[in-house]
Amino acid sequence: MENKYGRISELKIEAGEKRNETVLKNVYFTPPFKIMKPFYEGGLMKILQMSASPGIMEGDRQNININIDENACCEIYSQSYEKIHNTGRGQGERNINIELESNCFLTYNPLPVIPYKNSAFENKGVVRLRDKSSVLVYSDIITAGRIASGEEFEYRYYKSLVEIYEGNELKYRDNAIYDNCKMNMRGIGLFEGYTHLLSMALCNINIENQICEIFKNYEYPWGVSNVCENYTGVRVFGRRGEELKEISEKISNLAFKKYNENKRIK
């Protein structure tokens, strides 16, 4: 499949600790990727991932590699909603590889994805945690498309596979396949009248009760599941991306607060 940039687009980020502060140790990117100079908030280094492209095009292939070293605390988020344009007969592809060392914290929290009419996209994320002291919050928001333009659920398909390992053991797997040619996306068991879906995985942090408290202020359907010991899955339906983004940020903030409390106890 032809890549419009002529090669695979790459983003590599490595964060580590220096003098009790999280710093960028190494950064590499090719078009359309860029990052802003990080800033700090409450001990968390925040990295803004940017793109010079209007979105994912037919044939685009992207590789994102993130390494978080021991004792580093980092949040990676995106500049704007991710637009997946009409991909013709092809598709766009993205591979995300994340590695977390011991005693570190990462929130991966990109803005929502908007699949345009006749678009097709396939994402694969593989995360490897060193051990039980590696803490991760992984967030993903998918929308029904350009709803204001009358393109609700008119994309061809959206596929996203996320696998999270602790050591060599697979702890969490989410294989989402939304195929408009084969599924009634508005029907029972799928979106059921809603247009936005937030999916989150929280690893090696136990804040289930606090998460449930958050939803007392929202009327959307939601679910919090204990996948295995200290691994939690969260699902929330909605009709506005900003509200789901707000929920994701609140949960991420709770997780980082709990992570800091656990460090102080140790």
Side-chain angles (χ1 to χ4, degrees), residues 72-192:
C73 298
C74 189
E75 177 182 357
I76 298 175
Y77 62 106
S78 57
Q79 169 192 13
S80 61
Y81 282 40
E82 181 78 80
K83 303 173 185 66
I84 306 173
H85 293 266
N86 183 338
T87 53
R89 296 183 179 179
Q91 68 174 28
E93 298 176 8
R94 175 178 293 149
N95 290 295
I96 303 171
N97 289 284
I98 300 174
E99 293 191 8
L100 276 67
E101 296 298 329
S102 301
N103 300 307
C104 69
F105 178 92
L106 173 66
T107 292
Y108 186 72
N109 196 20
L111 287 171
V113 175
I114 304 175
Y116 284 21
K117 183 177 181 179
N118 198 42
S119 67
F121 182 70
E122 189 164 347
N123 177 83
K124 183 176 181 181
V126 177
V127 184
R128 299 190 181 275
L129 312 181
R130 175 66 66 182
D131 51 41
K132 293 184 182 299
S133 67
S134 313
V135 179
L136 170 73
V137 179
Y138 190 103
S139 177
D140 178 60
I141 301 175
I142 172 74
T143 75
R146 293 192 296 179
I147 299 166
S149 299
E151 290 185 5
E152 184 176 315
F153 295 117
E154 293 196 8
Y155 54 87
R156 286 194 291 129
Y157 59 79
Y158 177 88
K159 302 177 181 180
S160 179
L161 172 63
V162 179
E163 296 181 330
I164 301 175
Y165 295 83
E166 187 179 298
N168 294 320
E169 183 179 359
L170 178 63
K171 290 283 193 175
Y172 179 96
R173 190 174 194 266
D174 182 13
N175 189 18
I177 301 175
Y178 305 124
D179 190 328
N180 278 309
C181 298
K182 301 176 181 178
M183 304 173 177
N184 176 12
M185 297 303 299
R186 299 175 179 83
I188 294 174
L190 288 166
F191 279 73
E192 299 188 16

Side-chain angles (χ1 to χ4, degrees), residues 253-266:
N253 290 338
L254 280 175
F256 186 55
K257 181 180 178 182
K258 182 69 172 181
Y259 169 79
N260 282 327
E261 289 173 355
N262 292 342
K263 282 181 65 177
R264 285 195 293 270
I265 292 171
K266 292 178 182 178

Side-chain angles (χ1 to χ4, degrees), residues 4-5 53-61 83-87 91-93 120:
K4 303 302 181 182
Y5 283 101
S53 167
I56 302 290
M57 306 292 184
E58 180 184 4
D60 281 359
R61 297 198 299 274
K83 303 173 185 66
I84 306 173
H85 293 266
N86 183 338
T87 53
Q91 68 174 28
E93 298 176 8

